[in-house]
Each structure stands twice: as structure tokens, then as C-alpha cells.
Amino acid sequence: MKVEIKSWLDDKILFAVETESLKLAVELAVKSGAILVGANLEVANLVGARLVGANLDHANLDGAILVGANLVGAKLVGANLVGAKLVGANLDHANLDGARLDHANLDHANLDGANLVGANLEVANLTGARLAHANLDGANQIGRAHV
């Protein structure tokens, strides 16, 4: 089947491919170096996806399931991850500057060296999350996050 990854900003097609699932399409897009800025991946099932170095700045990942996903070095500046499930995800050195992570589940996620400057973590679940060398300057609602 043909899978199209579109921008939530203007409905422009960012990447299209014949494949079996949205997860495989996103992995192929990242592997090919596609720029997925503003991608609409709302409630996408990306369990275990390999998205190392992905450029997902300003992407809509509201409610996305990224359990066990590998997002090492991913660019998620200003991304909407409200209510996303990132349990056990690897976000080592990911750039989440200004990202919306309110109500996100980051239980046992690896955020070592991640940039969370200005991120909204209101009621986010950070239980067991690794945050060594993470930059949380200006992160909002950190006191209300479940750590």
C-alpha cells in the first residue's frame, strides 16, 4: 500500500513510499535522510521504531506510541508529544527544545544528554527515566512531573 507522511501545517506530502505500515514508512524516510519537519504522526504506532537522527522538528506526535523506540540524536524541537507513550524509549542526546511532553509517559526512557530547554513536562511520567547530563533549563512544570 502507498503510505504518505504529510505535514500538519499545510498537508504537503513530506515522504511517500509503497510499504506495509506507517512505522516502516517513517523508518525508511529517516534512513533515506528525509526531512520530516512538521510531520503529522498523531497517534501513530511506532513501537520499537529505529529513528536515529530523525529530523522531526515541530512534528505532531500527539498520542503517538513510541514504546522502545530508538530516537538517539533525534531533532524534536517544538514537537507535540502530548500524551505520547515513550516507555523505554532511547532519546540519548535528542533535542527536545520547547517540545510539549505534557502527560507523556517517559517511564524508564533514556534522556541522557537530551536538550529539554523550555520543554513542557506537566504531569509527564519520568519514573525511572535516565536524565544524566540532560539540560532542563527553563523546562515547564518540572515540579508536577512524576519522577
Side-chain angles (χ1 to χ4, degrees):
M1 77 177 160
K2 185 172 184 178
V3 178
E4 295 178 339
I5 300 170
K6 294 183 178 182
S7 168
W8 68 269
L9 300 166
D10 58 11
D11 213 32
K12 177 182 169 185
I13 296 172
L14 303 173
F15 187 81
V17 67
E18 289 284 336
T19 189
E20 298 173 15
S21 69
L22 177 59
K23 175 186 168 184
L24 289 174
V26 175
E27 288 179 326
L28 288 168
V30 170
K31 190 174 183 178
S32 74
I35 296 172
L36 300 175
V37 172
N40 187 5
L41 298 168
E42 185 175 10
V43 299
N45 183 349
L46 301 170
V47 173
R50 293 177 303 277
L51 306 174
V52 174
N55 188 344
L56 291 160
D57 289 345
H58 305 286
N60 180 13
L61 291 150
D62 187 346
I65 304 169
L66 291 146
V67 174
N70 187 348
L71 290 148
V72 171
K75 298 174 186 87
L76 292 151
V77 173
N80 177 5
L81 290 148
V82 173
K85 292 166 184 57
L86 292 143
V87 175
N90 189 354
L91 291 145
D92 188 289
H93 287 87
N95 188 353
L96 293 144
D97 188 345
R100 292 198 53 206
L101 291 154
D102 22 327
H103 299 275
N105 187 349
L106 293 144
D107 185 27
H108 288 87
N110 178 8
L111 292 154
D112 288 345
N115 179 14
L116 291 151
V117 172
N120 186 347
L121 294 161
E122 184 176 0
V123 196
N125 180 1
L126 294 164
T127 304
R130 293 176 43 182
L131 292 159
H133 307 291
N135 186 348
L136 293 158
D137 290 343
N140 300 324
Q141 303 295 334
I142 196 77
R144 292 191 58 200
H146 303 287
V147 181

